[in-house]
Amino acid sequence: MVDAASNKPARAAAEFAPVRQTAAAPSAASPYRLATGGIVDRSAPLLFSFDGRNYGGLRGDTLASALLANGVRLVGRSFKYHRPRGILAAGSEEPNALVELREGARREPNTRATVAELYEGLAAVSQNRWPSLWFDCMAVNSLFSPIIGAGFYYKTFMWPASFWEKLYEPMIRRAAGLGRAAGMPDPDTYEKAFAHCDVLVIGSGPAGLMAALAAGRAGARVILCDEDFEFGGRLLAECRDIDGRPCAQWAGSLLAELASLPEVRMLKRTTVFGAYDHGVYAAIERVADHLATPSPHMPRQRVWNIVAKRTVLAAGAIERPLVFGNNDRPGVMLGGAVRAYLNRFAVKPGTRAVVFANNDDAVATLLDLAAAGISVQACVDPRGADAGVVRAAAQRIGTRFVNGAVVRARGGHRLRAVDVSAVAEPWHKLTFPCDLLAMSGGWSPSVHLSSHLGGRPQWSDALAAFVPGPLPRGMSVAGAAAGEFGLAACLAGGAKAGAEAAGDCGFAAKPVAMPGIGPEPIGIAALWRVRAKRGKAFVDFQNDVTVSDIELAEREGFRAVEHLKRYTTLGMATDQGKTANVNGLAIMAELTEKTIPATGATRFRPPYTPVAIGALAGHHRRKDFKPTRLTPGHAWAQEQGAVFMETGLWLRAQYFPQPGDNSWLDACNREVTATRNAVGVCDVSTLGKIDLQGTDAGLFLDRLYANAMSSLPVGRARYGLMLREDGFVLDDGTVSRLAEDHFFVTTTTANAARVMQHMDFCHQVLWPDLDVQFVSVSDQWAQYSLAGPKAREVLQKLVDGQHDISNTAFPYMAAGEVTVGGGVPARLFRISFSGELAYEISVPARFGDAVIRAVVAAGAPLGIRPYGLEALSVMRIEKGHVGGAEINGQTTARDLGLERMVSSKKDFIGRVMAGRPALLAPDRPAFVGFKSVGDGAIGAGAHFLPVGAEPSARNDEGHVTSVAYSPTLGHLVGLGLLKGGSKRLGEKMRAYDPLRGRDTLIEVCSPVFYDPEGARLRA
Amino acid sequence: MPDQALRQRAPLEALARPGRFGATSAAAGVMLSEIRDRGLASVAARKNQRAALLAAAKSAFGCGLPTRPRRAFGRDGLSFVWAGPDQWVAMLDHGPVGGIEPRLAASLKGLASVVDQSDGRAVVRIGGARARAALAKGMPIDLHERAFTPGDAALTFFSHINVHIWQVDETPTYEIAVPRSFVGSFWHWLTEASAEFGYEATGSNSSA
């Protein structure tokens, strides 16, 4: 579902059922389901299971609403004390109701039941309990709570230190874990996608809908995201009238219009979880989380990178719990959640209720409870005269109003009663039997995304809440997220923000007509904790952080909010303190007698809600982590049974095994021997290839390479050495001159991109005045190296007859254009890395497959063998050529014995810095060869030590860089970097390798073991 | 010399199996094919020859070289796509092997460096009602019709692979040039991205 066309809302407006309930009887199947109302589909019953027991729910339910409909109140155990927990909220802020969803490889721990969309066959189990949710042995932890308060593991498990990793940590993790990961590879796929828009609207409540509508009508490209599986936000959960219609119905007509606008894309089940620079937002779309298994070709989840010119944050607000004794008992619920279960899900979360609030939100809760036929035992409000509207509402439904506070909840696995202390008679405790307590401590705007780029939220005393501070560029905030509480304010704020955002993008928006809405009280008086509390008073439900823990942190000096968070774990874990943070820091402010702004808030960081790592990885896993490059001859090599190795992104043939080989070494030896005695062929298409043209191309190369290139005659090739600015060797390769103003350069496979980048920098920044143009042709040419005494004979069968490639006409280091196979253009270079008579032949890549087959066919009577990287490496070691192990970024031309190549007649990059005194020091490790004179293996990385010297860094004289068994010579041959270098030929040293437990006697020698006169390559 | 002529292999020959793949619930949302008969060449202006080059191209090929990310069409199946400051990719429909470089070089001698890239890039054509949605899964640029129109071009990436894309028509149809050695991974990514919408692959497509 990537474009707007497939995102039509599931229902047209008229299909929204009326919401307002009159006293309705529970249905037989689900005892707490109201007979009418809500936006659940009673014609679509769904079966699901929780802890192995089957229940019935309806399409449109969340797991939480379906459990409540079945009277299930106890859904989990708390993190540390294993206290019985129920459902606190109705949205993504839920701290308690975490379950393991699905089974087997798809098992997903810590899923919030309040956002898990019900589907047929959904299977969930409770977490963090043993042996059962009802009887949890670990609940004994509660008895130890005096010693396992905040920071207990910092204090308790100090000694002995070695016990931490082996004993204490595993023990704590077992006792205080949450869910279990599947432990198997995830069978589903995840993907990433990019989206662009003029206006991104985050949240589809009243403000978000109006913003999207205003911007969409103006013609702007709009993306509307909501984390819920239905658009509408609180409009679905409230029982209000807009323009004389139930608000959910009214939302339906807006959604229908939005869906009809071609440039409005609506993404539901999509949480915008992060705000980044330049208007980039990350969102996670739960494409198939509401299905038992994703349909074929459907990703499970998709991460969106949304690039928005403007953004309207309309993420609403999160209700705060009140902090009193045992406020975590199942049945204690947020007031707004109670209304959501009643109005949206048609579920009674209890049968006898008490309402406890410090703000006017209680009015709606009281009326909705009464309308659903739930008897309200009492309405408790700590405010006096200010609570007038609440008192009036209580009176209207015949409920007793108490000016006071709930001090303690009673009950264990479910709420049985609440103890209330009235302001008038604090010595006289009132007890109200109930199984539902609807509480509200006020609403905290969801400012998270406004703060991801560093803007600190600001405290509003009037609202008793943080509102957004300095905003990310391009963002505006509307509705409850901006502290615009009240439906009318949300609608107006959203419409204004949407119109302004569209206007900023060049789309003139007409004012959206404001619908008629009744008045709404939003008064509040802060109440951060009930001081007369009895029992544990939880601030952070998910982390079992109580008021006592905050008091302890204060006493022990962890008073700064970020310290408070780390010391007590307040605001950590999957909910990141959505319901807890403000209460926690406000209590700390009280304890330290500071204001809330002076106390500050912890920093908000992405993600807003948990995002699976798998979704962030998308398709980029296993072999798809990065692209793979294949040469034109790859299919042929595969047919030969080649074993491939990764070199950068490339796959290259390492060796070609044959039946009867004992190891790779047999194959390697065979390939070397065939090449030395007859002929071998190797795919070198992976070399970096660069085409240079222009009148200054020669001059450009002179400045890039340490040796001269402008003096190279047309039709000749030259080995080239390129230094870095700091004088160390960057890369080696070959330069061939194809015409006066036309060169062809090869680089090593590993440094191809780096050399190209270096050239681009040098041309664009250092010498833009030079007339030189260059472009990578690495992919244009397939290139093969033919090496061995019979190489020319093979080549003569391939190259068209008019081209004379005899030793006289085409000598060592010749380069030129030829044709092969009857007119196919090709380039031929007489270059040798192996030390044999050798050529490299390039053909356009489309002929790469055919040419390698033709080469092998032509060479078969002469004993040709393909050879891989192992044989290539052995032959270059035998010949004493430097490779990647020697050009390691720490060696100069002098170190590598290549100082003869360095021109003294011209300037070039690296010349000055290579002359620094330390780089000319006589005892710098320099390039040598060595032979083994002891018995025992030698590996690269072994250190050279004087015979008899103590193995210490002080006595270290260099190291082995490359070593191989030479089938040609019948012994080990090695290369290394040794202090003093070639001055020490003939000396005996030790190759000391403590990592592999080896210590072998060697003799220093010339690095050129094979054909030192170079007769073979000129043959 | 071997008895038979050297056989050419297109970059996607072994991979782009013709047929209908992915979701089958509706008509294929994405059409994929490889263009195998197009000649490509890099063209870069020589120093201080930009104006002369533009004029020479105009008279020789009948089109100006675009100076922003666009594709311009000349005579006889030649077109030029902007590829950076003073750089273009020239394309020749139904170009024979090695045909494009001499044709350009003759007219642009001394004004531009011309390098044959016909084998260095695979050109994949992607079209269909859901082509944009499929490309959005790997390509960061905005292909919406208000932002990118027929003739527009961009140098960008698709799932970590550098690509050159230009729009052909409003269907929408796009062509994407991919370095040849990457084309296997590219095809894998593109077909994974298209599978949700159902895709139809035709082995090859004529370049015109």
Side-chain angles (χ1 to χ4, degrees):
Chain A
M1 284 173 295
V2 174
D3 68 2
S6 62
N7 269 294
K8 306 281 185 210
R11 288 182 309 278
E15 291 169 70
F16 280 95
V19 175
R20 171 64 72 178
Q21 290 296 320
T22 49
S27 79
S30 303
Y32 293 86
R33 180 82 67 185
L34 297 166
T36 58
I39 52 168
V40 285
D41 185 353
R42 288 179 175 74
S43 68
L46 300 171
L47 268 177
F48 71 101
S49 74
F50 178 65
D51 276 348
R53 228 184 114 178
N54 289 329
Y55 298 97
L58 299 175
R59 184 160 306 286
D61 263 330
T62 60
L63 173 59
S65 70
L67 286 170
L68 289 171
N70 288 283
V72 178
R73 302 296 187 78
L74 173 66
V75 296
R77 288 279 174 168
S78 74
F79 182 63
K80 196 156 82 175
Y81 302 127
H82 291 251
R83 286 171 67 103
R85 288 284 167 82
I87 293 159
L88 178 73
S92 63
E93 72 274 26
E94 174 65 36
N96 283 340
L98 306 184
V99 298
E100 285 177 1
L101 200 60
R102 303 171 200 266
E103 291 162 333
R106 289 193 167 87
R107 188 171 71 201
E108 213 173 61
N110 305 334
T111 304
R112 288 148 294 163
T114 50
V115 295
E117 190 174 347
L118 203 67
Y119 57 83
E120 178 68 24
L122 177 147
V125 295
S126 55
Q127 309 184 148
N128 203 28
R129 80 288 185 277
W130 186 86
S132 75
L133 183 57
W134 193 258
F135 180 78
D136 178 9
C137 287
M138 296 305 285
V140 71
N141 277 7
S142 249
L143 302 177
F144 299 126
S145 64
I147 58 161
I148 58 175
F152 78 97
Y153 40 79
Y154 301 128
K155 302 168 185 164
T156 314
F157 300 106
M158 296 294 286
W159 185 90
S162 61
F163 275 32
W164 174 253
E165 211 171 296
K166 297 251 159 53
L167 180 66
Y168 297 147
E169 190 185 347
M171 195 174 80
I172 292 168
R173 286 201 184 281
R174 201 163 28 245
L178 287 172
R180 303 161 300 157
M184 283 180 264
D186 190 331
D188 296 327
T189 60
Y190 299 80
E191 68 181 25
K192 294 189 264 194
F194 296 90
H196 303 260
C197 62
D198 295 312
V199 181
L200 168 65
V201 180
I202 301 166
S204 70
L209 282 183
M210 289 300 265
L213 192 69
R217 280 181 182 170
R221 291 166 64 192
V222 176
I223 295 178
L224 173 63
C225 295
D226 199 292
E227 62 178 345
D228 205 325
F229 55 91
E230 297 288 356
F231 293 109
R234 286 303 299 179
L235 293 172
L236 307 180
E238 299 292 356
C239 186
R240 298 283 303 272
D241 280 351
I242 301 181
D243 272 348
R245 283 192 291 164
C247 57
Q249 255 189 35
W250 180 85
S253 57
L254 252 66
L255 289 167
E257 181 181 348
L258 283 171
S260 75
L261 296 172
E263 295 303 341
V264 175
R265 175 188 282 187
M266 299 164 76
L267 294 173
K268 58 184 173 186
R269 303 187 181 98
T270 303
T271 306
V272 179
F273 64 79
Y276 303 90
D277 288 325
H278 310 300
V280 174
Y281 292 82
I284 176 92
E285 181 184 4
R286 289 167 287 273
V287 182
D289 276 10
H290 61 298
L291 306 172
T293 54
S295 318
H297 310 295
M298 181 191 265
R300 173 79 182 276
Q301 297 178 349
R302 179 185 291 136
V303 170
W304 285 99
N305 262 288
I306 302 173
V307 184
K309 293 196 181 85
R310 289 280 277 101
T311 299
V312 177
L313 177 63
I318 293 169
E319 199 169 20
R320 292 188 294 264
L322 286 163
V323 180
F324 56 89
N326 294 340
N327 60 342
D328 63 329
R329 289 292 180 229
V332 177
M333 196 179 274
L334 295 168
V338 168
R339 301 203 296 277
Y341 289 117
L342 290 171
N343 298 327
R344 174 174 173 177
F345 300 105
V347 165
K348 296 208 295 187
T351 51
R352 276 200 297 187
V354 168
V355 175
F356 176 29
N358 66 342
N359 65 84
D360 295 346
D361 204 58
V363 173
T365 310
L366 286 166
L367 298 180
D368 290 357
L369 282 168
I374 296 170
S375 98
V376 185
Q377 304 294 302
C379 173
V380 184
D381 194 319
R383 298 176 298 170
D386 292 345
V389 291
V390 177
R391 188 188 296 266
Q395 262 166 8
R396 180 139 50 104
I397 62 164
T399 289
R400 178 173 174 188
F401 179 88
V402 180
N403 177 212
V406 173
V407 293
R408 176 164 65 165
R410 290 172 174 275
H413 288 137
R414 81 191 308 174
L415 181 68
R416 282 189 287 107
V418 292
D419 293 346
V420 173
S421 167
V423 172
E425 304 172 280
W427 58 87
H428 183 66
K429 189 185 69 189
L430 302 166
T431 298
F432 296 97
C434 60
D435 62 356
L436 174 67
L437 177 74
M439 64 177 166
S440 177
W443 292 77
S444 296
S446 293
V447 301
H448 308 66
L449 289 162
S450 77
S451 167
H452 278 178
L453 293 182
R456 295 273 181 177
Q458 288 166 355
W459 180 254
S460 160
D461 268 326
L463 299 171
F466 281 103
V467 294
L471 296 173
R473 222 177 137 166
M475 180 188 279
S476 50
V477 189
E484 298 168 341
F485 293 144
L487 183 54
C490 285
L491 294 169
K496 181 165 172 283
E500 282 174 3
D504 287 353
C505 299
F507 299 91
K510 292 197 191 95
V512 179
M514 278 303 125
I517 296 156
E520 179 182 5
I522 56 165
I524 183 167
L527 174 68
W528 303 121
R529 55 177 167 151
V530 175
R531 282 172 191 262
K533 54 105 175 165
R534 308 256 319 268
K536 278 189 181 13
F538 286 88
V539 179
D540 186 327
F541 293 77
Q542 187 161 103
N543 288 295
D544 273 354
V545 178
T546 64
V547 173
S548 312
D549 291 321
I550 298 174
E551 289 167 343
L552 182 70
E554 191 275 329
R555 282 199 304 278
E556 299 194 339
F558 297 94
R559 294 175 190 129
V561 283
E562 299 287 0
H563 289 159
L564 171 67
K565 175 172 179 172
R566 272 81 192 170
Y567 196 60
T568 63
T569 69
L570 172 83
M572 290 192 178
T574 66
D575 71 338
Q576 285 289 296
K578 287 188 175 57
T579 55
N581 282 345
V582 175
N583 282 342
L585 70 92
I587 293 168
M588 180 57 83
E590 280 184 1
L591 294 171
T592 53
E593 296 179 346
K594 287 204 280 190
T595 63
I596 289 174
T599 306
T602 51
R603 205 170 257 284
F604 294 99
R605 296 187 181 87
Y608 175 68
T609 48
V611 178
I613 294 291
L616 295 174
H619 285 297
H620 294 273
R621 53 182 201 169
R622 301 201 184 95
K623 284 288 175 200
D624 292 330
F625 183 68
K626 51 187 170 45
T628 300
R629 300 179 74 176
L630 301 178
T631 69
H634 184 81
W636 167 84
Q638 246 176 341
E639 288 168 28
Q640 308 311 306
V643 171
F644 293 97
M645 70 184 290
E646 291 180 16
T647 53
L649 298 178
W650 290 101
L651 284 186
R652 299 188 69 181
Q654 188 179 2
Y655 57 95
F656 294 82
Q658 291 215 336
D661 285 355
N662 286 320
S663 74
W664 66 271
L665 189 61
D666 288 348
C668 175
N669 290 344
R670 178 173 57 239
E671 291 163 23
V672 171
T673 306
T675 304
R676 294 267 184 243
N677 294 334
V679 58
V681 60
C682 181
D683 187 347
V684 293
S685 303
T686 60
L687 295 176
K689 309 181 204 78
I690 301 168
D691 183 287
L692 285 99
Q693 299 184 36
T695 50
D696 295 326
L699 179 59
F700 181 67
L701 291 173
D702 273 350
R703 294 182 186 178
L704 280 175
Y705 283 95
N707 49 334
M709 291 299 170
S710 56
S711 58
L712 185 67
V714 172
R716 300 289 291 175
R718 184 170 286 170
Y719 179 74
L721 192 69
M722 202 180 276
L723 307 189
R724 301 192 311 220
E725 199 69 74
D726 62 7
F728 292 92
V729 176
L730 168 63
D731 195 43
D732 64 349
T734 64
V735 176
S736 302
R737 192 164 203 166
L738 302 175
E740 201 51 45
D741 60 353
H742 191 182
F743 291 82
F744 174 74
V745 164
T746 65
T747 74
T748 59
T749 301
N751 283 326
R754 184 138 180 238
V755 169
M756 191 71 195
Q757 197 178 22
H758 181 60
M759 283 190 177
D760 273 328
F761 175 82
C762 292
H763 182 225
Q764 291 175 21
V765 179
L766 304 182
W767 315 308
D769 54 307
L770 294 188
D771 176 33
V772 60
Q773 298 81 41
F774 47 89
V775 65
S776 167
V777 288
S778 297
D779 284 82
Q780 166 72 12
W781 299 96
Q783 194 153 319
Y784 300 101
S785 170
L786 268 92
K790 294 178 181 167
R792 186 181 299 119
E793 219 175 313
V794 177
L795 210 49
Q796 275 164 337
K797 296 190 193 179
L798 288 168
V799 172
D800 293 338
Q802 69 270 31
H803 305 285
D804 183 359
I805 57 167
S806 66
N807 197 28
T808 331
F810 204 83
Y812 179 56
M813 293 312 251
E817 291 183 335
V818 296
T819 56
V820 297
V824 172
R827 288 172 178 174
L828 191 63
F829 310 92
R830 194 162 158 196
I831 293 167
S832 179
F833 198 47
S834 56
E836 297 297 334
L837 163 68
Y839 300 84
E840 287 184 9
I841 183 160
S842 294
V843 292
R846 76 185 66 183
F847 295 105
D849 180 79
V851 163
I852 185 64
R853 291 173 198 277
V855 165
V856 171
L862 303 166
I864 196 168
R865 280 204 184 277
Y867 66 94
L869 287 180
E870 294 294 346
L872 182 85
S873 180
V874 169
M875 288 190 278
R876 74 106 187 153
I877 296 170
E878 287 176 341
K879 189 65 189 165
H881 286 308
V882 293
E886 289 80 28
I887 302 180
N888 61 7
Q890 301 175 318
T891 46
T892 64
R894 188 172 163 276
D895 297 341
L896 297 176
L898 298 172
E899 62 267 48
R900 279 174 294 107
M901 288 182 66
V902 178
S903 171
S904 56
K905 297 184 188 136
K906 64 171 181 104
D907 199 8
F908 56 90
I909 288 183
R911 182 184 65 83
V912 175
M913 297 292 261
R916 287 178 287 172
L919 297 185
L920 302 173
D923 65 341
R924 262 186 78 78
F927 190 51
V928 293
F930 67 85
K931 290 183 269 204
S932 169
V933 290
D935 41 353
I938 302 173
H943 282 256
F944 294 125
L945 282 180
V947 177
E950 180 204 349
S952 70
R954 195 156 33 92
N955 292 330
D956 184 21
E957 303 218 335
H959 73 279
V960 174
T961 52
S962 306
V963 65
Y965 173 76
S966 164
T968 317
L969 305 172
H971 58 76
L972 278 189
V973 292
L975 304 173
L977 296 163
L978 174 67
K979 277 185 186 174
S982 56
K983 289 197 288 287
R984 304 181 65 176
L985 299 188
E987 272 188 46
K988 298 255 188 333
M989 305 282 298
R990 288 158 63 197
Y992 178 71
D993 188 350
L995 280 180
R996 302 182 185 92
R998 296 170 181 169
D999 192 352
T1000 310
L1001 204 60
I1002 57 114
E1003 183 186 314
V1004 182
C1005 62
S1006 155
V1008 187
F1009 296 91
Y1010 180 74
D1011 186 27
E1013 302 78 26
R1016 298 182 70 90
L1017 44 81
R1018 292 188 174 78
Chain B
M1 189 49 235
D3 300 336
Q4 62 222 75
L6 296 172
R7 190 168 108 57
Q8 306 180 27
R9 275 173 83 110
L12 278 170
E13 197 175 295
L15 285 170
R17 285 178 298 128
R20 171 68 197 266
F21 303 93
T24 50
S25 47
V30 178
M31 315 295 285
L32 300 175
S33 58
E34 181 184 19
I35 295 176
R36 295 179 180 167
D37 61 348
R38 184 176 289 162
L40 279 82
S42 298
V43 177
R46 293 237 162 156
K47 186 171 152 59
N48 298 330
Q49 298 298 336
R50 185 166 186 259
L53 170 63
L54 296 186
K58 186 103 195 159
S59 73
F61 313 125
C63 71
L65 303 182
T67 51
R68 60 195 183 87
R70 294 275 300 168
R71 180 185 183 190
F73 291 87
R75 285 190 289 267
D76 306 328
L78 253 183
S79 62
F80 294 86
V81 192
W82 185 90
D86 288 354
Q87 293 175 58
W88 298 268
V89 170
M91 298 194 288
L92 178 63
D93 289 340
H94 315 298
V97 180
I100 187 166
E101 186 180 331
R103 177 160 171 192
L104 294 171
S107 307
L108 305 178
K109 193 160 177 57
L111 305 177
S113 295
V114 178
V115 181
D116 196 333
Q117 297 279 18
S118 308
D119 293 68
R121 306 279 181 275
V123 181
V124 174
R125 183 174 283 182
I126 171 169
R130 309 308 299 276
R132 280 194 191 106
L135 289 174
K137 295 186 190 180
M139 196 174 280
I141 63 167
D142 190 1
L143 293 177
H144 187 273
E145 59 195 12
R146 290 183 189 170
F148 203 84
T149 58
D152 278 345
L155 286 155
T156 178
F157 63 82
F158 185 88
S159 286
H160 299 187
I161 297 168
N162 292 328
V163 298
H164 201 174
I165 182 173
W166 48 88
Q167 188 168 345
V168 176
D169 62 34
E170 280 167 354
T171 312
T173 306
Y174 304 90
E175 288 175 2
I176 303 175
V178 187
R180 182 181 180 118
S181 58
F182 284 97
V183 79
S185 285
F186 173 79
W187 184 257
H188 177 62
W189 284 102
L190 188 62
T191 51
E192 284 282 308
S194 304
E196 181 185 0
F197 313 114
Y199 67 93
E200 179 112 28
T202 50
S204 68
N205 202 328
S206 184
S207 65

